[in-house]
Amino acid sequence: MINRIISWSIHHRFVVVVFTLAIAGYGCYQLLRTPVDAIPDLSDVQVVVFTEWPGRGPQVIEDQITFPLVSSLQGIPKVKDIRGTSMFGMSFVYVVFQDGTDLYWARSRVLERLSYAQKQLPPDVVPTLGPDATGVGQVFWYTLEGKGYDLGTLRAIQDWYVKFALQDVPDVSEVASFGGFQPQYQVRIDPQKLTYYHLSLEQVLQAIRENNRDVGGSVIDLHGSNYIVRGLGYLKGIHDLEQIPLAVEGSTPVLLKDVAQVQMGGDHRLGIVDENGEGERVGGVVIMRYGANADAVIRAVKEKMQAVQAGLPPGIHFHVVYDRSTLIESAIHSIKHTLIEELILVSIVIVIFLLHLRSALVAILTIPTAVVISFIFIHWMGFNSNIMSLSGIAIAIGVIADNAIVMIENAHRHLTENTSS
């Protein structure tokens, strides 16, 4: 069989050359389309369900949120395992699916079941799905640095400007903020003043809720023109909060400032972020969408950061903490270096021992052609180019070179024997 294939190829050289060029070109096309990453993603297909219920202890979270969710999510097709974690004010449920399950199919099944599980949870508690990413999706870390700016200001810039801009980058699943203080209005109520004015805590909370909203009215027809009536009531500062009326004593209104102290402060923190022992930092983590091209995502994020930098306040700039593209480029450079070395060494060996330059071209063309053809199967099987796959190709290059040398030497031996006979 092999002899017939070789014989046919020798008598149809043009067809063989055209077919080789076509499949090599298709391999180059798939090479450009194959996602590039440094770390192989071996994580399970899982969907994370996150639920927040502030102020509740872990046991209450376990009994009223985690356990009902785990019970409701059981029975979903292709589910391999369900794990639940409860902590202060938060619940995490990890739904692990069988290998090969489509992630977005799994997310849709979990989302359907959550609509039923919602009925078993306490009022105003809404479970949400985590990002469509895996544990190796953290491809880029950065911090915001600026002299003269406090941690609260930097965190506000991160949450309300930088985060929204970077989340618009294609294939970015989420930008998670870390560090600093999350600014909030804090109302510190004096219990003795509440008793003095015969007020309850619920009355104060209800007054704040009702006085922080805009409302719409009807339309007034005046002199042939329609005027839209609106009520503007959003709170814009500490002074607006202090002027909220709570009750009336005689003809004197009781305001919020009469029973409480209103101030700006930071939300409760469970930890801090420090860099190299130089102090606290504020920044974000760019999480890549599942199956995306890490190298392309990082390049797009860097381009977006340059545009975002123009809108930052004076003195604030980005500082890159972790950039996976450096490792990706090193892996790509390594296989390029290995490929060039193999081509040079094989060519030198063939020229020295066989004294035939055209024979060296066989090995020179065979090695890169085999490499690009391998990317056709890598793309068809849904894999990406990472350290493991590129290392395997680099090792295989040596085998290809050995085979090329053996076949060329064997062909020369047969040609010599036929010539002498």
Side-chain angles (χ1 to χ4, degrees), residues 88-226:
F88 180 78
M90 292 178 289
S91 168
F92 293 90
V93 177
Y94 303 90
V95 185
V96 182
F97 288 80
Q98 298 174 3
D99 294 338
T101 305
D102 181 72
L103 176 64
Y104 295 99
W105 180 89
R107 291 174 64 88
S108 64
R109 297 286 82 77
V110 173
L111 192 59
E112 289 176 358
R113 191 60 65 90
L114 285 181
S115 61
Y116 166 76
Q118 179 73 43
K119 303 176 183 178
Q120 305 181 35
L121 301 180
D124 301 328
V125 174
V126 181
T128 57
L129 296 184
D132 51 342
T134 62
V136 297
Q138 301 182 15
V139 297
F140 195 84
W141 287 55
Y142 65 89
T143 58
L144 293 176
E145 297 185 355
K147 294 183 178 179
Y149 293 92
D150 58 86
L151 296 175
T153 302
L154 293 176
R155 181 60 184 262
I157 295 173
Q158 161 63 22
D159 287 341
W160 299 103
Y161 176 60
V162 178
K163 178 179 179 178
F164 293 150
L166 296 183
Q167 282 185 166
D168 191 47
V169 176
D171 290 328
V172 170
S173 175
E174 183 183 15
V175 178
S177 303
F178 61 80
F181 297 90
Q182 292 181 273
Q184 62 178 198
Y185 293 107
Q186 298 178 346
V187 180
R188 305 182 64 179
I189 300 175
D190 190 338
Q192 296 181 353
K193 292 182 179 180
L194 283 181
T195 304
Y196 177 79
Y197 288 108
H198 306 288
L199 296 173
S200 64
L201 179 61
E202 182 59 32
Q203 287 179 282
V204 177
L205 297 177
Q206 185 67 20
I208 295 176
R209 283 194 293 263
E210 293 180 350
N211 284 272
N212 185 32
R213 60 180 180 178
D214 283 359
V215 295
S218 184
V219 178
I220 298 178
D221 186 1
L222 186 62
H223 302 300
S225 299
N226 289 335

Side-chain angles (χ1 to χ4, degrees), residues 140-146 154 158 162 166 178 273-276 278-286 302 305 309 312 315-323:
F140 195 84
W141 287 55
Y142 65 89
T143 58
L144 293 176
E145 297 185 355
L154 293 176
Q158 161 63 22
V162 178
L166 296 183
F178 61 80
V273 177
D274 178 89
E275 183 181 1
N276 299 327
E278 299 176 357
E280 292 190 51
R281 293 291 186 269
V282 175
V285 182
V286 178
K302 290 180 179 179
M305 288 173 62
Q309 179 66 54
L312 292 177
I316 297 181
H317 61 276
F318 289 101
H319 171 66
V320 178
V321 178
Y322 169 69
D323 183 1

